[in-house]
Amino acid sequence: MTTPAAARRPSWAGRNYSLLTAAAIVTNLGSHGALIAAAFAVLDAGGDGGDVGLVAAARTLPLVLFLLIGGAVADRLPRHHVMVAANALNCLSQAVFAVLVISGTPPLWSMMLLTALGGVGQAFFGPAAEGMLMSTVTGEQAGRAFALYRLAMQGAGLGGAALGGLMVAALGPGWVLAVDAVAFAIAGAMRSFLDVSHIPAREPGGGLLSDLREGWREFIGRQWLWAIVAQFSVVVAVVGAAEAVFGPLVARDELGGAGPWGLALGAFGAGTVGGALLMMRWRPRRMLLAGTLCVFPLAAPSAALAVPLPVWGLAAVMFVSGVAIEVFGVSWMTTMHQEIPEEKLSRVAAYDWFGSIAMVPLATALAGPAEVAFGRSASLWGCAALVVVVTALVLLVPDVRNLTRRTPSREVAKAAPQAQESADAEGTVGRLG
């Protein structure tokens, strides 16, 4: 018997898809505010820009170190078990962080250690979540499903960033970190109900190293894949440094503190919502070309902080960059879903994540020294210039310009065996975070 709730859902939005989307909403409500809270917890404890960068790097370094292992584990074990375990670790680390901040002034080393534990959790969660979401989408509705998922996720991020900034200003960063811990607990509980029976059993392999080598061959054999990941190794690093280190400092010195910065991040979230709504209707034939062209606007927030623009100007720039990155994000997910075999999704996603964030610890750790050596404004202009240069270079790759969306008939024919199996399992959907 079809329940009223199921009847209201599109045919491709099965039980797994609904659970994944709801859990992503809960997680993003907490985590976007926690990013602001962590930076201001360091500043409130007497830290400077260099200390903020060290804490940000402490999260990203273990993420880089464990990502490839996380991808191999997620393709070997039930992905929802990996996701739940990672959520539990994130919940515990954020809860302890919150207690330390609320009860006093935690030393820098303790904030770095707890942030690092969160990075370990994310290293295992991200590839498992990527594979879970992508394995539950079939056929020509994949792009719409990814857009709707990202719409819900980014909408929650919008609310989380704005509310988090206001809560930091009103209550202090410790309580925002506590909310994030509760959000991880709730999301982990929801993900424990995911059904993986529609995913074919994995063939016995030669071990973890063999799985990693197989994922590497899949990754390096696709020029468009490694070229864009190389591009994003620079883009994510400089944008991350601008947002995690320079943004809070500019907000403190020029914009009035955590509240305005939270509103600026909220405008970025609103842009991602707008971008997701756009991608619900727009299906560009050359997906990678459309997505890559939309990376250029990511240089604008660094330039706006370098000036610096007033809050309303910064918010407008952040909104446009949010729209742009969401066009890229949906185009990228649709391309990965179309081109990568399901049984290798988590491993390829791990190499994608690994390459994309490999330089973030270095960039965030060097942001403070760069400010001292070159000045804050010059450092931010340098970030903007790097985004433009590497994006222009990746457009030289023929596959990036020419890879096209398959026609429905070809895509359905390719996915027919898996589509039939998925239909028997409620047509569910699955791929971080």
Side-chain angles (χ1 to χ4, degrees):
M1 178 178 178
T2 303
T3 65
R8 289 194 297 268
R9 291 197 301 253
S11 60
W12 43 262
R15 179 173 177 271
N16 275 11
Y17 183 89
S18 300
L19 283 170
L20 286 166
T21 303
I25 291 172
V26 172
T27 302
N28 276 264
L29 280 170
S31 62
H32 278 68
L35 290 174
I36 304 171
F40 280 91
V42 175
L43 296 175
D44 289 351
D48 56 15
D51 294 329
V52 173
L54 287 173
V55 171
R59 176 179 179 81
T60 311
L61 183 59
L63 179 56
V64 171
L65 292 176
F66 288 98
L67 255 176
L68 298 183
I69 297 174
V73 168
D75 274 341
R76 185 172 284 264
L77 300 178
R79 288 171 178 150
H80 66 316
H81 290 171
V82 178
M83 296 166 70
V84 171
N87 284 167
L89 178 59
N90 286 125
C91 173
L92 179 62
S93 62
Q94 289 293 73
V96 175
F97 197 173
V99 170
L100 291 178
V101 173
I102 292 171
S103 61
T105 303
L108 181 64
W109 68 264
S110 68
M111 292 188 282
M112 292 177 65
L113 175 61
L114 292 168
T115 302
L117 289 175
V120 172
Q122 186 62 31
F124 285 86
F125 175 84
E130 190 96 358
M132 193 70 196
L133 179 59
M134 288 192 179
S135 70
T136 56
V137 177
T138 58
E140 61 181 305
Q141 297 298 329
R144 180 173 295 180
F146 296 143
L148 181 59
Y149 174 84
R150 292 177 66 93
L151 172 63
M153 185 177 66
Q154 302 296 5
L158 164 63
L163 183 61
L166 295 173
M167 287 181 64
V168 168
L171 303 176
W175 292 106
V176 180
L177 294 168
V179 169
D180 191 35
V182 173
F184 274 117
I186 296 172
M190 296 173 70
R191 287 165 176 142
S192 68
F193 291 101
L194 291 168
D195 178 14
V196 296
S197 62
H198 68 289
I199 299 177
R202 310 299 182 213
E203 294 293 332
L208 190 64
L209 290 179
S210 177
D211 286 349
L212 289 173
R213 285 194 296 269
E214 187 177 0
W216 171 254
R217 286 193 295 268
E218 190 74 31
F219 173 80
I220 202 66
R222 301 173 187 272
Q223 189 180 34
W224 60 267
L225 180 56
W226 61 256
I228 289 182
V229 170
Q231 169 204 10
F232 267 75
S233 69
V234 176
V235 172
V236 173
V238 297
V239 171
E243 181 175 309
V245 180
F246 294 125
L249 293 174
V250 172
R252 182 191 64 183
D253 297 340
E254 307 286 347
L255 303 178
W261 180 236
L263 290 175
L265 293 178
F268 177 84
T272 62
V273 171
L277 287 171
L278 171 64
M279 295 305 287
M280 288 285 290
R281 295 182 174 274
W282 185 38
R283 301 174 72 245
R285 181 170 176 267
R286 297 188 182 187
M287 300 173 291
L288 286 183
L289 178 60
T292 301
L293 290 174
C294 286
V295 178
F296 284 108
L298 295 186
S302 294
L305 289 169
V307 174
L309 292 182
V311 175
W312 64 266
L314 176 61
V317 167
M318 295 286 275
F319 177 86
V320 172
S321 64
V323 173
I325 195 56
E326 200 61 20
V327 173
F328 172 84
V330 175
S331 299
W332 181 250
M333 291 181 73
T334 306
T335 304
M336 291 275 282
H337 174 264
Q338 174 178 289
E339 300 293 326
I340 306 299
E342 189 280 330
E343 69 275 9
K344 299 176 183 177
L345 277 172
S346 289
R347 278 168 287 174
V348 173
Y351 280 106
D352 172 15
W353 279 50
F354 178 83
S356 297
I357 68 170
M359 294 177 62
V360 171
L362 180 63
T364 51
L366 291 179
E371 180 182 17
V372 173
F374 306 109
R376 186 182 300 168
S377 180
S379 298
L380 284 164
W381 281 117
C383 291
L386 283 170
V387 172
V388 172
V389 170
V390 298
T391 303
L393 288 175
V394 84
L395 287 173
L396 299 176
V397 177
D399 287 345
V400 172
R401 301 192 308 271
N402 300 327
L403 192 149
T404 59
R405 184 189 302 270
R406 292 195 185 97
T407 61
S409 59
R410 290 178 61 197
E411 187 172 343
V412 170
K414 175 178 178 290
Q418 183 179 337
Q420 180 60 48
E421 194 163 0
S422 295
D424 294 336
E426 299 182 73
T428 49
V429 184
R431 170 192 180 184
L432 61 186

